[in-house]
Amino acid sequence: MEKAWWKESVIYQIYPRSFCDSNGDGIGDLNGIRSKLDYLQKLGINVIWLSPIYKSPNDDNGYDISDYQDIMDDFGTMDDFDALLKEAHEHGIKIVMDLVVNHTSDEHKWFIESRSSKDNPKRDYYIWREPKDGKEPNNWGSCFSGSAWEYDEKTGMYYLHCFSKKQPDLNWDNEKVRDEVFNMMTWWCEKGIDGFRMDVISMISKVPGLPDGNKGDGALYGDLSNTTNGPRVHEYLKEMRKRVLSKYDLITVGECAGVTIEEAKKYANLHDSELNMVFQFEHTGLDYDERGKWTTKRFYLPDLKANLSKWQNELEGQAWNSLYWDNHDQPRIVSRLGDDSPLSAKCIATVLHMMKGTPYIYQGEELGMTNYPFKSIDECRDIEILNAHKELVGGGRMSEEDLLAGIRAKGRDNARTPMQWDDSSEAGFTSGKPWIGVNPNYKTINAKAELEDKNSVFYYYQKLIQLRRNSEWSDIIVYGTYQLLDKEDENIFAYTRQLGDRKILVVCNVSANEVQYKLDFEVEEKACLIRNYDNVDLEKEMRVPAWFAGVWEI
């Protein structure tokens, strides 16, 4: 049991554009975040992950970076960042930056030079290819719809963009690109930041020759399987570790699309040769269907339990898990798996926070913020949604009504509506007009109301965090082994955590039904750590109300 501060941390993701606006322009900013550090300290988290705050033209809300060493005008100045970093540290909170280095903005100075001519010194900073039979170099489709290739009139060649056409992919095979990235990372580390969340880092090595992707039935384009977990990705991350990461006491997490258990053991091994942990996405696709994410399909609990348990068990002793339900790319879990109620928010939180790994809380999750009732595509801002509408509805492949239902269930904008601070105009997020609509339920779901209610979702999250970070059970919760119980049960998610001769039992009814639950072993309750109903005690055979969650030492 090798202890580390990042294993014992609880991380809070902030999407700056939607967190708190200090100057009334309708867009959240760094000074808005500074004004809420007391709130975050009260919640109990000890790390903030900031979604990108760098200079950007905002084609993909900051994930298209035009200058890695400057701050987006909407968010403030570098002086504002320095003040935030200093005050966060004074609150006992570390700051993790979002590192987006698979691609840049097409307005980055490197790309402006690269596209200027075929013989420019920075031409090879990006991935350029000649046309093939007068068309795109291969069949790859962008993650944001359409081809992954954009034709450039000036030089008569195509450049690769796995995301928006304004997000050209960097060529990591070029040593000079790696030098640029590592120097930039060092600059931020010297400034005093505490780690990096690495955007789509599993995509930095492409298969040589860029062969066509797999094309499913009816698909317009081939997939991007030849861009993920490529042949040199581990080489590049080991180089990053040697040249930058090993020189500082950092937390590192890689967003790894398409990662398998075996790959995760390489990325997040406990020997610190690459990263501390990865984000994997298997569980987030379990409620997709033939329409992909644009569906109202719900999770089937046995499938969800099997997947989360696989990652718990197969990384045991070899690599570290990151635990999350929500982030800026996912809909709200209380709507997706729950029924929008505070009870279901508490239940679902318990399932996650008692597992082994480092938990991530996305802004507003601790309040039970829900999905937004989108009635029109005009209410949406996300490039992925807008492109899907153009391709699916515009192309006659899906009705407007069906796509809107899918957006309400799974769209990324559900996570991006403003943080609900109080019941005043625009939920206290801004004194102006917000860049995206505030959820109309802010009158009842908001931080002010929950801070005044000791039974709120906020205080339940606070207790979950205290149990992990500062209680007599912390070591079991952080370092204990995991064992799933009753894997086929369609309502109950139950498991144990054990460290030495101490054991805790977690029982959660992830459904709106009251059920009878029978344990297949004798239990003796030594202590109740947390529960969301006062009148339910641990018994071998027990009545478990809807959305019940309980944790006991046994």
Side-chain angles (χ1 to χ4, degrees), residues 203-217:
M203 296 178 73
I204 60 175
S205 171
K206 278 69 171 174
V207 172
L210 310 185
D212 280 351
N214 303 311
K215 197 171 177 182
D217 291 342

Side-chain angles (χ1 to χ4, degrees), residues 1-3 7 312-313 315-317 320-321 354-357 468 473-483 495-504:
M1 186 178 80
E2 194 168 327
K3 293 193 172 187
K7 295 177 183 176
Q312 287 285 297
N313 293 327
L315 293 192
E316 176 62 41
W320 197 252
N321 269 297
M354 289 295 123
M355 287 186 176
K356 185 169 188 173
R468 176 174 287 266
W473 299 282
S474 295
D475 278 355
I476 309 174
I477 296 168
V478 176
Y479 297 107
T481 57
Y482 168 98
Q483 183 177 1
Y495 58 87
T496 60
R497 301 290 311 283
Q498 185 163 359
L499 188 66
D501 59 359
R502 295 188 73 183
K503 182 185 280 192
I504 59 174

Side-chain angles (χ1 to χ4, degrees), residues 42-180:
K42 184 179 183 70
L43 180 60
I45 60 95
N46 63 315
V47 181
I48 290 170
W49 151 28
L50 290 175
S51 284
I53 58 170
Y54 315 95
K55 190 78 78 179
S56 168
N58 264 319
D59 185 61
D60 184 26
N61 279 4
Y63 283 87
D64 50 317
I65 296 165
S66 56
D67 188 340
Y68 289 102
Q69 289 169 244
D70 200 358
I71 301 296
M72 191 188 303
D73 292 343
D74 288 342
F75 295 159
T77 65
M78 191 59 77
D79 285 344
D80 294 332
F81 175 80
D82 291 340
L84 171 61
L85 183 64
K86 178 175 180 288
E87 288 186 30
H89 286 168
E90 289 168 355
H91 281 76
I93 296 172
K94 298 176 184 291
I95 297 283
V96 166
M97 299 292 283
D98 212 319
L99 184 75
V100 188
V101 289
N102 173 71
H103 48 264
T104 69
S105 166
D106 66 345
E107 297 181 32
H108 194 290
K109 61 185 179 183
W110 300 340
F111 190 73
I112 292 169
E113 284 194 52
S114 181
R115 80 189 309 177
S116 66
S117 70
K118 290 184 179 181
D119 57 2
N120 185 279
K122 288 190 170 58
R123 181 66 169 184
D124 199 36
Y125 271 38
Y126 296 84
I127 298 172
W128 292 93
R129 292 293 184 272
E130 297 285 353
K132 186 176 180 181
D133 301 324
K135 297 179 181 176
E136 290 86 354
N138 67 27
N139 71 355
W140 294 356
S142 155
C143 292
F144 292 162
S145 306
S147 171
W149 295 94
E150 181 72 8
Y151 185 68
D152 188 63
E153 294 277 355
K154 184 167 186 181
T155 57
M157 291 177 71
Y158 285 89
Y159 66 84
L160 177 68
H161 60 91
C162 290
F163 296 88
S164 160
K165 67 182 181 181
K166 287 183 66 64
Q167 291 170 294
D169 281 48
L170 284 164
N171 176 20
W172 272 70
D173 294 340
N174 183 340
E175 186 179 350
K176 290 178 182 175
V177 168
R178 302 199 300 277
D179 288 342
E180 298 265 22

Side-chain angles (χ1 to χ4, degrees), residues 304-333:
L304 184 62
K305 292 194 291 187
N307 185 265
L308 294 176
S309 299
K310 177 183 80 169
W311 284 87
Q312 287 285 297
N313 293 327
E314 295 192 30
L315 293 192
E316 176 62 41
Q318 299 188 63
W320 197 252
N321 269 297
S322 55
L323 308 172
Y324 74 95
W325 291 125
D326 287 359
N327 61 36
H328 63 290
D329 284 335
Q330 302 296 331
R332 295 285 181 178
I333 195 64

Side-chain angles (χ1 to χ4, degrees), residues 466-467 470-476 502 527 553:
Q466 286 172 345
L467 285 169
N470 186 28
S471 78
E472 63 175 289
W473 299 282
S474 295
D475 278 355
I476 309 174
R502 295 188 73 183
E553 183 173 5

